[in-house]
């Protein structure tokens, strides 16, 4: 047969993510989705449809852990999330050897996920998507810090947390932060629409959370994209993402012995990063309340974020 590829010939790029516990939000934000950023750019430039394939045997916690990952793949990367035999979207027939079309499979093991350049790009794509969705909803600009709101947001682990962090102090900490009127509390983030969480996070100057998957929603903070001097070339000078604003802050409460996985994300986004180590089973939240108030008070009188 002819080797000429017609304009109407379907072309598909399948990116395989088969690492342990793929699909879980926190693991995907560290190990999976940054790699998808590479493939999304390549697929778009070459006219390929993008499919992110996760084998069912490495999915943990079922679809409850995949819902926001699916939204990220579809909305930010313009792709489809495929779990063979389970997901709504499946691979095209020509990728299974039936019918005409081009299908290229790509294994991600050779792509770095802990990479500053690709995380910059992932952050840009996420922020551009948030801005675009806000524009479609006929908002004046993307969700941004509002002076009438408390400047701090605590991301609570809530009932949808899957791993114990020994943060016995958290319920009391949430109560005390509410009393300050400087902090709001958001919990059960995994059960919410991804972009509802995004809009909530983007409205605040400072985030605090116990180390875990909820913390990866820091990608919705504008960070360096709100600083003109550090604006990446991929954004035009008239973008509302690139207007001047105060630098945002991140406070991670870290169990003793745990690793600071969020540090690289905070660095790439351009956030002031602070970590506070606690002992497993620690119950008194007093020092964390003081830390939180010191952070929000440091923003007093700062100009509004974009």
């Amino acid at each position: 047969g002819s080797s000429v590829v017609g304009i109407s010939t379907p072309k598909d790029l399948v990116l395989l993510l088969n690492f342990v516990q793929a699909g879980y939000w926190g693991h995907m934000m560290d190990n999976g989705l940054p790699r998808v950023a590479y493939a999304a750019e390549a697929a778009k430039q070459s006219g390929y449809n993008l499919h992110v394939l996760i084998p069912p045997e490495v999915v943990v916690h079922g679809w409850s852990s995949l819902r926001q990952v699916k939204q990220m793949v579809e909305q930010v990367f313009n792709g489809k999330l495929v779990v063979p035999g389970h997901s709504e979207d499946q691979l095209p027939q020509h990728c299974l050897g039936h019918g005409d079309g081009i299908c290229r499979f790509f294994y991600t093991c050779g792509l770095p996920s802990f990479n500053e350049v690709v995380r910059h790009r992932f952050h840009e794509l996420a922020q551009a998507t948030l801005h675009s969705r806000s524009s479609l909803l006929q908002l004046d600009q993307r969700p941004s810090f509002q002076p009438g709101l408390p400047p701090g947001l605590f991301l609570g682990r809530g009932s949808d947390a899957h791993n114990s962090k020994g943060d016995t102090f958290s319920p009391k900490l949430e109560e005390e932060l509410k009393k300050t009127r400087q902090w709001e509390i958001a919990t059960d983030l995994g059960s919410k629409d991804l972009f509802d969480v995004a809009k909530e996070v983007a409205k605040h100057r400072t985030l605090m959370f116990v180390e875990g998957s909820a913390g990866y929603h820091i990608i919705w903070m504008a960070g360096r994209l709100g600083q003109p001097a550090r604006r990446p070339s991929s954004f035009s000078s008239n973008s509302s993402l690139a207007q001047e604003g105060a630098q945002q802050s991140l406070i991670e409460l870290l169990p003793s012995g745990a690793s600071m996985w969020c540090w690289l994300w905070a660095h790439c986004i351009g956030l002031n990063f602070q970590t506070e180590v606690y002992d497993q089973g620690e119950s008194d939240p007093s020092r964390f309340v003081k830390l939180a108030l010191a952070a929000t008070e440091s923003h007093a009188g700062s100009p509004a974020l974009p």
Side-chain angles (χ1 to χ4, degrees):
S2 173
S3 61
V4 177
V5 177
I7 297 177
S8 61
T9 301
K11 299 189 296 183
D12 295 270
L13 176 63
V14 181
L15 186 69
L16 177 62
L17 297 175
N18 62 346
F19 56 85
V20 176
Q21 296 189 352
Y24 188 42
W25 171 254
H27 294 189
M28 285 293 280
M29 285 298 293
D30 254 345
N31 295 316
L33 293 175
R35 295 173 179 176
V36 176
Y38 287 102
E41 296 280 75
K44 181 178 180 180
Q45 293 173 8
S46 303
Y48 277 68
N49 302 309
L50 175 66
H51 306 270
V52 177
L53 178 65
I54 301 178
E57 60 269 20
V58 298
V59 172
V60 291
H61 310 307
W63 282 101
S64 63
S65 69
L66 278 169
R67 192 165 68 99
Q68 291 183 347
V69 172
K70 182 175 185 289
Q71 284 188 275
M72 187 73 85
V73 170
E74 292 179 349
Q75 301 296 321
V76 175
F77 298 119
N78 296 312
K80 298 293 184 182
L81 179 66
V82 176
V83 179
H86 296 272
S87 59
E88 176 184 351
D89 296 301
Q90 294 293 307
L91 292 181
Q93 285 299 303
H94 64 269
C95 289
L96 304 176
H98 310 295
D100 296 328
I102 298 174
C103 192
R104 301 185 185 279
F105 285 81
F106 192 86
Y107 293 89
T108 63
C109 57
L111 297 176
S113 60
F114 290 83
N115 178 278
E116 185 173 357
V117 174
V118 74
R119 292 194 179 207
H120 280 169
R121 186 56 183 149
F122 182 11
H123 180 232
E124 292 174 6
L125 291 171
Q127 288 288 311
T129 303
L130 178 57
H131 177 244
S132 176
R133 288 176 61 89
S134 300
S135 298
L136 289 174
L137 292 173
Q138 298 182 336
L139 299 177
D140 292 336
Q141 56 184 10
R142 71 175 180 85
S144 59
F145 173 73
Q146 300 173 15
L149 291 176
L153 178 66
F154 181 81
L155 303 179
R157 286 167 48 75
S159 61
D160 59 359
H162 296 288
N163 302 308
S164 174
K165 299 294 181 179
D167 55 324
T168 310
F169 57 83
S170 281
K172 186 63 175 177
L173 174 59
E174 292 178 14
E175 293 178 12
E176 295 299 317
L177 289 177
K178 288 180 183 177
K179 294 177 184 177
T180 68
R181 298 186 179 181
Q182 293 294 306
W183 285 78
E184 290 186 322
I185 311 298
T187 59
D188 300 322
L189 301 182
S191 63
K192 298 178 180 178
D193 180 90
L194 178 64
F195 289 96
D196 286 344
V197 176
K199 288 184 288 186
E200 184 68 16
V201 169
K203 293 177 182 178
H204 295 82
R205 291 191 186 281
T206 304
L207 292 190
M208 174 187 276
F209 57 87
V210 173
E211 183 269 334
S213 295
Y216 291 104
H217 287 290
I218 63 175
I219 197 168
W220 306 118
M221 301 183 86
R224 65 193 176 87
L225 299 183
Q227 306 297 323
R230 305 171 71 181
R231 181 177 63 243
S233 58
S234 57
F235 282 87
S236 63
S237 59
N238 61 358
S239 169
S240 64
L241 294 178
Q243 304 304 310
E244 184 173 3
Q247 189 171 14
Q248 295 164 294
S249 300
L250 173 69
I251 303 171
E252 182 179 29
L253 305 182
L254 195 69
S256 56
S259 301
M260 292 188 295
W261 295 113
C262 265
W263 176 86
L264 181 58
W265 264 123
H267 170 72
C268 292
I269 293 172
L271 306 175
N272 286 323
F273 178 77
Q274 184 174 358
T275 185
E276 187 75 11
V277 177
Y278 66 86
D279 295 323
Q280 298 278 340
E282 188 172 342
S283 59
D284 185 358
S286 300
R287 64 189 181 101
F288 308 122
V289 174
K290 292 179 181 178
L291 188 66
L293 288 177
T296 51
E297 288 172 0
S298 70
H299 283 304
S302 298
L305 294 173

